[in-house]
Amino acid sequence: MSGLSKPFPSDSPDPRRQLRQELRRRRRALTPNQQRNAARALCRRLRQLPEIRRARRVALYLPNDGEIDPSPLIAWLKDRSVRIYLPVLKPLSSNSLWFVHYHRGTPMVRNRFGIPEPDTQHGAHRARRLPTWALDLILLPLVGFDDQGQRMGMGGGFYDRSLAFTRRPGPRPRLLGLAHECQRVEQLPVAPWDVPLDAIVSDARIIRP
Ligand SMILES: Nc1nc2c(c(=O)[nH]1)N(C=O)[C@@H](CNc1ccc(C(=O)N[C@@H](CCC(=O)O)C(=O)O)cc1)CN2
Ligand SMILES: Nc1ncnc2c1ncn2[C@@H]1O[C@H](COP(=O)(O)OP(=O)(O)OP(=O)(O)O)[C@@H](O)[C@H]1O
C-alpha cells in the first residue's frame, strides 16, 4: 500500500478506530431490558416524525452488535401499507448496498458479517430490489453521533458509498440515523465522503443538524 492512501502510520493507532471500538463496546454492554426500553422509546419518537409518516417505502435494518432495534416499527408500518426494505451487501465486493423488499416469507441468508439479509440468489430478487433513489426513507444504524448531527458507522463506508448520489440534485430518500443515547460523543471528525443526515434519533433525543 502506498503511504499516501494510508490515513495513519501503521505504528500509531487510528483514533477513529479506537473510538468506534469503544462505542461498539458500550452498546453491546446494554442489558436485554435496556435494549427493549430503548427500542420502545426510539420507536415512539420515530412514529411522530413527518419523514416516517409521509413515507410509503422505508428501509430499516435488523439489529446486530448491540444496535438499537427499529423492528418494533414493522407492524405499525405494515398497518399503514408501507413497504419495508432491508440492506443487502452488493456482490462482487463493491462495498455498497442494495435495498430489497422484506415481508413475511422472504427467504433470508446470513451475510459475511453474520447479519440476516434477504437471499438475492433467488430468481425473483430483481423485482424485489428497489433503486435507492426511489426509497422515501432510510433508517441507518449508527455507531456514534454528535450534537452537530455527524455520524460514524461500522467503518466499511457501505452507506456512504450507497448514498453518495444524494449530494446531487434529483429524487432522494430522507435519511434518519438511529443510535442509543450512550453512543453520543461531543464531536466527531467529519470526512469529505460523509453523507449529511436529515436527523439523528436516539432513545432520548432528536438532533436536526
Ligand atoms: N444491522 C446492520 N446491518 C447492516 C449494516 C449495519 O451496520 N448494521 N451495514 C452497515 O454498513 C452493512 C453491513 N456492514 C457491516 C460492516 C462491518 C461489520 C463488522 O462487524 N465488522 C467487523 C469485522 C468483520 C470481518 O471483517 O470479518 C468488525 O469491525 O469487528 C458488520 C457489518 C449492511 N447491513
Ligand atoms: N462515496 C465513497 N466512495 C468511495 N469510497 C468511500 C465513499 N464513502 C466512503 N468511502 C470509504 O469507506 C471507508 C469507510 O468510511 P467511514 O469510516 O466514514 O465509514 P462509516 O461511515 O463509519 O461506515 P458506513 O458508511 O458503512 O456506515 C473510508 O476509507 C472511505 O475511503
Side-chain angles (χ1 to χ4, degrees), residues 129-187:
R129 219 167 82 199
L130 193 69
T132 306
W133 59 261
L135 288 162
D136 299 315
L137 175 65
I138 300 179
L139 304 178
L140 292 79
L142 307 187
V143 171
F145 67 98
D146 68 18
D147 290 338
Q148 291 68 247
Q150 291 299 327
R151 73 168 193 106
M152 172 184 271
M154 288 294 273
F158 290 90
Y159 280 98
D160 281 326
R161 276 191 204 81
S162 311
L163 299 172
F165 76 94
T166 61
R167 296 171 173 284
R168 299 188 289 271
R172 64 171 193 92
R174 301 287 119 184
L175 306 175
L176 299 180
L178 310 185
H180 290 287
E181 184 62 15
C182 64
Q183 293 171 255
R184 186 162 70 102
V185 299
E186 204 162 298
Q187 194 160 15

Side-chain angles (χ1 to χ4, degrees), residues 24 61-62 64 67 87 89 97 113 115 141 154 158-159:
R24 288 179 61 182
Y61 57 88
L62 300 180
N64 174 55
E67 288 167 342
L89 301 180
L97 303 169
F113 300 114
I115 306 173
M154 288 294 273
F158 290 90
Y159 280 98

Side-chain angles (χ1 to χ4, degrees), residues 37-207:
N37 290 337
R40 283 193 190 132
L42 173 84
C43 293
R44 254 197 317 273
R45 270 170 216 287
L46 285 171
R47 286 196 299 265
Q48 308 302 320
L49 298 186
E51 285 90 345
I52 202 159
R53 301 191 76 92
R54 278 199 295 262
R56 311 310 306 155
R57 296 159 155 180
V58 173
L60 42 75
Y61 57 88
L62 300 180
N64 174 55
D65 191 55
E67 288 167 342
I68 197 160
D69 182 5
S71 66
L73 281 177
I74 291 177
W76 180 78
L77 291 170
K78 288 196 167 164
D79 283 347
R80 299 165 67 92
S81 306
V82 173
R83 277 171 83 82
I84 296 168
Y85 295 80
L86 286 178
V88 169
L89 301 180
K90 210 152 131 177
L92 305 175
S93 69
S94 66
N95 288 338
S96 64
L97 303 169
W98 275 334
F99 292 92
V100 177
H101 184 216
Y102 174 59
H103 56 94
R104 209 163 17 89
T106 299
M108 303 289 284
V109 290
R110 280 183 192 275
N111 64 28
R112 65 182 146 101
F113 300 114
I115 306 173
E117 61 179 33
D119 184 359
T120 53
Q121 302 293 37
H122 286 64
H125 80 272
R126 280 179 195 287
R128 294 190 281 112
R129 219 167 82 199
L130 193 69
T132 306
W133 59 261
L135 288 162
D136 299 315
L137 175 65
I138 300 179
L139 304 178
L140 292 79
L142 307 187
V143 171
F145 67 98
D146 68 18
D147 290 338
Q148 291 68 247
Q150 291 299 327
R151 73 168 193 106
M152 172 184 271
M154 288 294 273
F158 290 90
Y159 280 98
D160 281 326
R161 276 191 204 81
S162 311
L163 299 172
F165 76 94
T166 61
R167 296 171 173 284
R168 299 188 289 271
R172 64 171 193 92
R174 301 287 119 184
L175 306 175
L176 299 180
L178 310 185
H180 290 287
E181 184 62 15
C182 64
Q183 293 171 255
R184 186 162 70 102
V185 299
E186 204 162 298
Q187 194 160 15
L188 285 174
V190 185
W193 55 81
D194 283 340
V195 165
L197 302 180
D198 294 285
I200 291 172
V201 189
S202 81
D203 43 308
R205 75 186 74 223
I206 296 175
I207 296 172

